């Protein structure tokens, strides 16, 4: 929520924050303890199937492409390409959930329940509104995941060259990879937030109609806030991604280890 609020181009005076901690403190103090958690349920609902598609596609393509590009070894090109393709499936599942979450997190949002938000968006803007930011989401997430996966695999080569199950190396590599990728793609995330929220105050700044497409979003961000507006919320975005990617990789590597171990035991028992 803090990231969404801090990326607002022309926030309400009551929703102007200098940093992440101030944003969190003021949101809790003025809007309640559970306000920062609004939209979490819809995110959790979409995250399960999205991540299942994401990692399954990544592993299959990484192995296939690595065998072609660098047989018997690890290829950073294969890692990046596999991450990009996996992102297409992940974002297709997550984009509607992201639209609902961000609209519920905006300051003075009229939506208190997920169903209210979904119904209002569907009735007022049509089904296409749930995918209005999809191309921008891909434009952001394809380079994000390329950087993310390549950085993770690069760090694993240094921290865990034997590629054994090593929780500390997975957490550290995941956290660093998420931080680097998040910082590099913040301008695209700002545009995605604008497309998802169609922020009314920004739209009233001599801009008419809905903002559609990445080019339109980039122009709007620059018109409203200049170059610095592209990096609104970078601190919150990096802080969010560090634990997110660290947890994702550690959990993924743990279950991958368990499944692989059981498969090896079954083969040995035959």
């Amino acid at each position: 929520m803090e990231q969404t609020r801090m990326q607002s181009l022309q926030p309400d005076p009551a929703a102007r924050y200098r940093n992440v901690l101030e944003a969190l403190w003021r949101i809790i103090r003025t809007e309640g303890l559970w306000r920062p958690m609004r939209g979490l349920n819809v995110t959790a609902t979409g995250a399960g199937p999205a991540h299942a598609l994401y990692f399954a596609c990544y592993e299959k393509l990484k192995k296939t492409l690595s065998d072609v590009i660098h047989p018997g070894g690890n290829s950073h090109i294969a890692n990046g390409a596999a991450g990009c393709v996996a992102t297409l499936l992940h974002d297709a599942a997550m984009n509607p959930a992201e639209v609902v979450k961000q609209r519920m997190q905006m300051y003075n949002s009229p939506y208190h329940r997920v169903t209210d938000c979904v119904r209002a968006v569907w009735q007022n803007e049509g089904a296409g509104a749930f995918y209005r930011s999809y191309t921008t989401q891909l434009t952001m997430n394809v380079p994000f995941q390329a950087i993310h996966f390549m950085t993770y695999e690069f760090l694993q080569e240094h921290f865990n060259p034997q590629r054994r199950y090593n929780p500390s190396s997975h957490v550290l590599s995941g956290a660093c990879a998420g931080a680097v990728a998040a910082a590099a793609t913040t301008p695209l995330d700002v545009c995605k937030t604008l497309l998802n929220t169609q922020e009314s105050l920004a739209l009233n700044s001599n801009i008419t109609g809905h903002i559609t497409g990445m080019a339109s979003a980039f122009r709007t961000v620059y018109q409203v806030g200049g170059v610095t507006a592209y990096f609104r919320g970078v601190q919150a975005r990096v802080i969010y991604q560090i634990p997110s990617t660290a947890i994702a990789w550690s959990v993924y590597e743990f279950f991958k280890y368990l499944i692989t171990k059981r498969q090896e035991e079954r083969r040995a028992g035959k």
Side-chain angles (χ1 to χ4, degrees), residues 233-247:
V234 62
Q235 181 187 34
R237 178 167 163 77
V238 170
I239 291 174
Y240 167 79
Q241 286 295 341
I242 286 175
S244 176
T245 49
I247 293 170

Side-chain angles (χ1 to χ4, degrees), residues 22-210:
E22 183 192 13
L24 180 61
W25 167 247
R26 286 176 55 187
I27 289 170
I28 292 174
R29 188 181 63 181
T30 60
E31 302 175 52
L33 179 63
W34 298 107
R35 187 65 173 90
M37 306 297 288
R38 181 174 288 185
L40 180 63
N41 53 347
V42 69
T43 301
T45 301
H51 278 77
L53 289 168
Y54 179 62
F55 281 113
C57 179
Y58 173 70
E59 280 295 330
K60 178 63 176 176
L61 282 176
K62 181 179 75 169
K63 185 178 185 305
T64 301
L65 293 174
S66 290
D67 289 342
V68 173
I69 299 172
H70 188 188
N74 179 48
S75 168
H76 293 304
I77 296 176
N79 298 333
C84 292
V85 176
T87 301
L88 299 176
L89 298 177
H90 175 273
D91 287 3
M94 279 300 295
N95 208 85
E98 188 75 8
V99 170
V100 174
K101 182 199 75 171
Q102 290 193 319
R103 294 206 180 200
M104 293 182 69
Q105 289 180 344
M106 292 299 290
Y107 182 74
N108 277 340
S109 171
Y111 311 114
H112 298 285
R113 294 185 300 178
V114 171
T115 52
D116 294 337
C117 183
V118 172
R119 188 182 304 111
V121 173
W122 185 283
Q123 292 176 349
N124 298 330
E125 302 175 51
F130 293 106
Y131 283 94
R132 184 179 287 132
S133 66
Y134 183 57
T135 54
T136 299
Q137 181 95 338
L138 289 177
T139 304
M140 176 188 72
N141 281 350
V142 165
F144 175 91
Q145 297 301 351
I147 296 169
H148 175 206
F149 281 108
M150 291 172 70
T151 304
Y152 179 81
E153 298 289 353
F154 172 78
L155 292 173
Q156 280 292 285
E157 287 183 351
H158 288 76
F159 296 144
N160 187 19
Q162 301 302 317
R163 293 306 179 102
R164 297 192 178 97
Y165 175 62
N166 186 332
S168 60
S169 76
H170 300 319
V171 170
L172 180 59
S173 297
C176 291
V180 171
T185 56
T186 295
L188 292 166
D189 193 46
V190 171
C191 294
K192 183 207 72 173
T193 298
L194 177 60
L195 285 168
N196 278 344
T197 61
Q198 296 291 304
E199 189 184 346
S200 59
L201 285 173
L203 294 175
N204 289 333
S205 301
N206 300 319
I207 300 165
T208 59
H210 289 298

Side-chain angles (χ1 to χ4, degrees), residues 214-254:
M214 184 185 66
S216 177
F218 261 97
R219 285 194 300 269
T220 303
V221 171
Y222 184 77
Q223 289 172 12
V224 174
V227 175
T228 57
Y230 291 116
F231 291 92
R232 285 181 180 269
V234 62
Q235 181 187 34
R237 178 167 163 77
V238 170
I239 291 174
Y240 167 79
Q241 286 295 341
I242 286 175
S244 176
T245 49
I247 293 170
W249 277 111
S250 60
V251 171
Y252 168 70
E253 294 284 5
F254 172 70

